[in-house]
Amino acid sequence: MNSQDNHNPVAEAEWLVGQRCDGVEYLQKQGVDYASVSIDADWFVAPYVSIWRIESSEGFRQGAMAGDHLGSTH
């Protein structure tokens, strides 16, 4: 998704699915113990950043941020 797709609901929905997947993958790679990640973002500004609610295995609610890394070299 690019900034020109901001008002395209299909592109936005696809971007959000990808952001959630990226966030879940990151949590798993980092060994974070969690029970669930919300299906819908709590807040987002497409195509830049999204915030997701995660619930720990102990029942604590936390947040995780996902976003596009413009200019990233990794």
Side-chain angles (χ1 to χ4, degrees):
M1 178 175 187
N2 59 49
S3 59
Q4 296 165 344
D5 291 329
N6 279 351
H7 300 292
N8 181 333
V10 173
E12 184 176 272
E14 290 173 354
W15 179 81
L16 283 167
V17 167
Q19 291 298 295
R20 185 182 184 280
C21 289
D22 289 349
V24 167
E25 183 179 322
Y26 179 80
L27 292 172
Q28 291 171 345
K29 284 182 180 178
Q30 296 301 312
V32 175
D33 184 25
Y34 67 94
S36 64
V37 175
S38 61
I39 297 298
D40 297 317
D42 283 350
W43 180 85
F44 66 92
V45 177
Y48 305 107
V49 65
S50 57
I51 298 177
W52 302 83
R53 187 174 350 111
I54 61 173
E55 190 162 328
S56 72
S57 300
E58 296 84 26
F60 297 109
R61 289 189 177 160
Q62 304 167 349
M65 184 183 299
D68 291 343
H69 307 285
L70 299 176
S72 178
T73 58
H74 57 279

